[in-house]
Amino acid sequence: DADVTQTPRNRITKTGKRIMLECSQTKGHDRMYWYRQDPGLGLQLIYYSFDVKDINKGEISDGYSVSRQAQAKFSLSLESAIPNQTALYFCATSDNEGSNEQFFGPGTRLTVL
Amino acid sequence: AQKITQTQPGMFVQEKEAVTLDCTYDTSDQSYGLFWYKQPSSGEMIFLIYQGSYDEQNATEGRYSLNFQKARKSANLVISASQLGDSAMYFCAMRAYNTDKLIFGTGTRLQVFP
């Protein structure tokens, strides 16, 4: 079983709809992250959380919100989706030791019409 | 501000040859980490190799090695003996130890031909 899972894997929605993307991990890591990737670009950080009570904005948090329901779960919400939020969304986790390598989920491809 | 620059949008290499993917970075931090990730057409992000700013030896992981030149602020990825399965996007990323956030470059698309 995958260590970091994301649901759904693909989603098509309409402008103005509320969307929630979910991330779960079995790695036991405290730190979790949400990134978005636009075509032809690298990943940009949306939000990150160092533990259940710690939520921080990343580079591009406008239009997004998050919820850290438990150590293992970190959800990303688009309150009112717009077309330029069409992208590939990644969840990642890391521990706070060593290289702090981030382990990525498989990604969610979101299309906003 | 931290920044990662990958100047090669695309690279071609023949199977079994070595290839170098360039990465330069900009930071005022003394402690940082450098990463390379591979993204195949299926979309997932696969960790390849890590180099800490205080590591004196260049990192190696199998066919991957990182040519770390701290004074030049470069962290190039070298793939030896390229395989067809190496065809993918490759991203360089940097993390400052005090923030734990990853800053990514725009990537290099590598295509390996027979």
Side-chain angles (χ1 to χ4, degrees):
Chain A
D1 288 340
D3 294 319
V4 185
T5 57
Q6 293 183 232
T7 55
R9 294 293 311 280
N10 290 281
R11 182 71 184 268
I12 300 173
T13 190
K14 295 181 179 179
T15 298
K17 294 291 187 181
R18 184 177 187 274
I19 295 296
M20 179 179 286
L21 308 183
E22 301 193 12
C23 177
S24 295
Q25 53 113 347
T26 59
K27 299 189 76 67
H29 290 165
D30 286 327
R31 302 182 175 193
M32 298 186 74
Y33 311 81
W34 275 105
Y35 294 90
R36 67 175 275 175
Q37 183 181 25
D38 295 286
L41 297 179
L43 278 67
Q44 294 177 280
L45 183 62
I46 307 172
Y47 271 95
Y48 61 105
S49 169
F50 283 179
D51 64 39
V52 175
K53 298 180 181 179
D54 181 71
I55 304 288
N56 304 280
K57 292 183 178 181
E59 307 163 276
I60 54 165
S61 59
D62 288 348
Y64 301 94
S65 63
V66 290
S67 173
R68 185 81 185 266
Q69 302 95 322
Q71 186 204 39
K73 296 184 182 295
F74 192 35
S75 300
L76 176 72
S77 293
L78 289 69
E79 297 300 326
S80 179
I82 56 177
N84 73 3
Q85 290 178 312
T86 294
L88 185 57
Y89 289 84
F90 286 101
C91 174
T93 75
S94 72
D95 60 23
N96 56 357
E97 298 178 1
S99 70
N100 296 95
E101 171 196 342
Q102 294 191 11
F103 295 85
F104 285 82
T108 294
R109 192 168 298 279
L110 176 66
T111 302
V112 183
L113 301 176
Chain B
Q2 296 175 318
K3 186 178 180 181
I4 292 282
T5 302
Q6 294 180 254
T7 57
Q8 304 158 314
M11 290 283 286
F12 289 89
V13 65
Q14 190 168 28
E15 199 176 8
K16 301 181 183 177
E17 296 294 311
V19 62
T20 298
L21 306 184
D22 294 341
C23 173
T24 59
Y25 60 92
D26 189 19
T27 182
S28 57
D29 295 319
Q30 296 302 308
S31 296
Y32 51 88
L34 295 157
F35 300 79
W36 277 92
Y37 283 87
K38 173 184 178 181
Q39 186 179 39
S41 57
S42 52
E44 70 268 32
M45 296 290 286
I46 302 168
F47 166 75
L48 295 178
I49 196 166
Y50 164 81
Q51 178 86 40
S53 59
Y54 290 116
D55 294 341
E56 294 185 352
Q57 302 267 17
N58 285 344
T60 60
E61 289 286 349
R63 293 186 299 111
Y64 304 108
S65 61
L66 200 152
N67 183 1
F68 180 47
Q69 298 186 44
K70 193 170 183 177
R72 297 182 59 186
K73 293 190 175 179
S74 73
N76 299 338
L77 177 70
V78 180
I79 305 175
S80 62
S82 298
Q83 302 172 355
L84 295 177
D86 293 334
S87 294
M89 282 290 288
Y90 288 81
F91 291 97
C92 180
M94 176 172 62
R95 179 183 59 80
Y97 286 136
N98 62 342
T99 66
D100 206 35
K101 294 186 287 185
L102 279 181
I103 306 296
F104 283 83
T106 53
T108 296
R109 181 172 297 282
L110 176 66
Q111 296 190 56
V112 182
F113 60 93

